[in-house]
Structures are given as structure tokens and as C-alpha cells.
Amino acid sequence: MVRLLAALLLLVGLPGCDLCWYRGEAPGECSGELDDDDSGSDDDDIAPDDDDTGDDDDAVDDDDAVDDDDTGDDDDTGDDDDTVDDDDTGDDDDTGDDDDATPIDLCATAPTALVVGPVSVPLICLAPGDFFMGSPSTEPDRGIDEDRHRVVLTQHVLMTAHEVVQPLYLEVIGGTVSDCTYGCGDLKPVQNISWPQTLDFCNALSDDEGLDPAYSNVAAGSGDWDQGADGWRLPTEAEWEYAARADESWVYSGSDTLADVAWCNGPLDPYTGSDVGSLDANAWGFFDMSGNVSEWVWDLYGAYPTAEVTDPTGAAFGSERVARGGTYAQEGPSCRVADRVHSLPWSTYWNRGFRIARTLQ
């Protein structure tokens, strides 16, 4: 016993040596396996767990600012990939909704009518989506410029349910471009209008409504479009066809039966547009996208791409602008949803009008 006590005293006296005596074992020098390397006592009941303010990667939430990958919410600002919503500012990819990846439905609060003085025009909101633009190779009377391709649209767009009517144009511009030889009236579409004149109308309406004008440098054949503006504008060709198809596959906008939806049946006497909205609408509520008057859109005319595109705005180069929808003075094939017409932008036709749109922000 005397020798054992002497050995113990010798170990205690050695510099830099801690004495440990584990239950059921002989006393000896400490191995360091239980040392948590912190400055305070660990006083824990699990060897590596110190429950201190630093990250100990244990199974209990220590509320630190470092990702501990635990199963509870640690409310840190980094992604902890846990199963509970930590409400941080970045997407934590967990199974709870942290509100950062949920799209905003701008259509839910969009206006349903454009009211200018005594004139009220119904509006329809187009949510982002995708569709196949052009015509299938089996469609009768298809044109060579209708290559079918997938289009993705990412913007919420507000569009008039029918063409711009003559009273609205008069309220905004203070005059008319329509020749009453070809029909005038409160529900008659604007006709005999050039492409630059449609841009001027859009800018004037935007000014009246306190919106940012979409166009600048409007000239006889061109204009610059500020795509970040919230003002009124022409729809792009893709937006126009997206609205005309309304997620359906009809040959005409809303039906395979021409007479149900389209004023488009060859020369009429007199050559006059019909009242807008007097035939059936398509599934989304758009009228007269087949027939009545054809409609200017923004795009320069060019060949379609064959691969998928996102938010296309037309050809990069060209001299002619696109018009869509066909007219009351044409035969049925020209009123197909996929049919395309192109004209010099300063040209005017007694059966050419337009509808308008604007990007919601």
C-alpha cells in the first residue's frame, strides 16, 4: 500500500500531467479523449457533448449561427436543410414553405377593365406559361412560315379582350384614323391604322394613366421598346398567339367552326368591320382573334426558331412588321390561329387594327 501511495504522489507531482482514475480501472495519466477543448467546464453526461455556445454538432439545437445539420430548426441565416421552416431569407429547400420560392400571382389583383372617360374595355390577365406556337405539319392550308416550336412566357401580361374600338382611340388621341366608309360606331374596331400610329396611341394612353411609356424614337418604320416599362404596348407575336390559343388546339381561336368565332368569310358588302365581341369568345375570354380586323403586333417578321425559346420578341433584323388574326374580307384559312401576315409598318389597310397589352409588375 505504501508503494502504491508513493506511485500516486509521483504521478501527481509530474509537470503537465493530469491524474485520472476511471471506475473499475487503475489510476493513470489522462488520455484527453473527454477533453472538449473549451475554456469552461464541460460538466456533460455524454463524452463529446459540451452544450456550450460553439457548434458541437450534437442532436439538440444549440441556436448557433453555424449550420449544425440537426433535425430541429436552428433559425440561422444559412441553409440548414432541416425539415422545419427556418424562415430565413434564402431558400432552405426544406419541406415547409419559407415563402421565398412561391411565385406571386399578379393576375389575382389585376384590373378587369380599362376605363377612359365613358369608354370601358374588358381586360384579361395572362399568367406565365408555355405552349406550342405555329401549326402542326398535318394542318390543312398551313404556311411555310409556321414551324411549330415551344415557347415559354415568363411575364404576367394584361391584354384587352377585343380590338381597340374607335371611341377609345378618339378619347385618347382626340381624332380618328378610321375611314367611316368602312364602318364607324361605338363597338367598331379601329381600322386603317399604321404600326407607328399604334405605338403613339399606346404612349398617349400610358401618359394619361400615369404609366411609364413603353416606346421611344417612334418613326415611320421603327421604335424602341423599353421592356421594363409598365405602360401600354402592342403584344408580341408569341403573347398574341398564346392568348388566341387559350391552351386549346382549335384551328380558329375558340373553335374549329369558323362561323362560331370569326368574322372571316370572304368579301363583304360593305367592307366594314363588325362589332367587337359579337361572336363567341375563346376559353380565356378573348374575342375576335380570328377574323374581323387583323391586328398589328410588335415583332419584325422573320422565320420561326425550331428550338424552344423564352419570351421571344421577333426577328433581330427585317423591314416588315407582323399582323395576326385574319380579316373579315378573307377566306377561312387566313383566319387560322397560326396564320401570319407581314407588312411595311407605315402601310395602312381598311381591315387592319390592333389590340393592346401591358406587362404587370
Side-chain angles (χ1 to χ4, degrees), residues 1 23 61 103 105 121 163 174 221 258 274 301 317 330:
M1 178 62 71
R23 179 177 296 178
D61 178 14
D105 181 11
V121 178
E163 296 111 337
L258 181 66
S274 297
Y301 176 74
F317 304 99
Q330 294 175 301

Side-chain angles (χ1 to χ4, degrees), residues 173-319:
I173 299 298
T176 183
V177 293
S178 300
D179 185 342
C180 288
T181 301
Y182 303 123
C184 287
D186 289 347
L187 293 177
K188 299 294 185 186
V190 170
Q191 53 195 41
N192 205 44
I193 190 169
S194 69
W195 184 84
Q197 287 174 316
T198 68
L199 272 56
D200 288 336
F201 171 86
C202 289
N203 279 352
L205 178 58
S206 296
D207 285 336
D208 289 348
E209 296 212 310
L211 302 172
D212 296 327
Y215 300 121
S216 59
N217 303 318
V218 178
S222 64
D224 296 326
W225 174 20
D226 177 4
Q227 296 188 38
D230 62 354
W232 292 99
R233 58 178 177 82
L234 294 177
T236 65
E237 187 175 13
E239 290 168 345
W240 187 96
E241 188 166 327
Y242 182 53
R245 291 198 177 280
D247 202 27
E248 296 180 322
S249 57
W250 305 118
V251 174
Y252 310 108
S253 180
S255 179
D256 281 340
T257 302
L258 181 66
D260 289 347
V261 294
W263 294 109
C264 181
N265 199 23
L268 303 176
D269 186 20
Y271 281 19
T272 179
S274 297
D275 287 357
V276 298
S278 54
L279 294 177
D280 293 344
N282 70 13
W284 288 352
F286 289 100
F287 295 92
D288 301 305
M289 300 198 84
S290 289
N292 214 354
V293 293
S294 61
E295 303 172 18
W296 288 111
V297 295
W298 165 257
D299 301 41
L300 281 169
Y301 176 74
Y304 280 158
T306 55
E308 178 182 308
V309 288
T310 299
D311 296 326
T313 57
F317 304 99
S319 59

Side-chain angles (χ1 to χ4, degrees), residues 91 97-109 127-129 153-156:
D91 181 8
D97 179 14
D98 57 10
D99 296 325
D100 54 19
T102 303
I104 299 174
D105 181 11
L106 297 178
C107 288
T109 56
L153 299 175
T154 64
Q155 302 293 322
H156 289 80

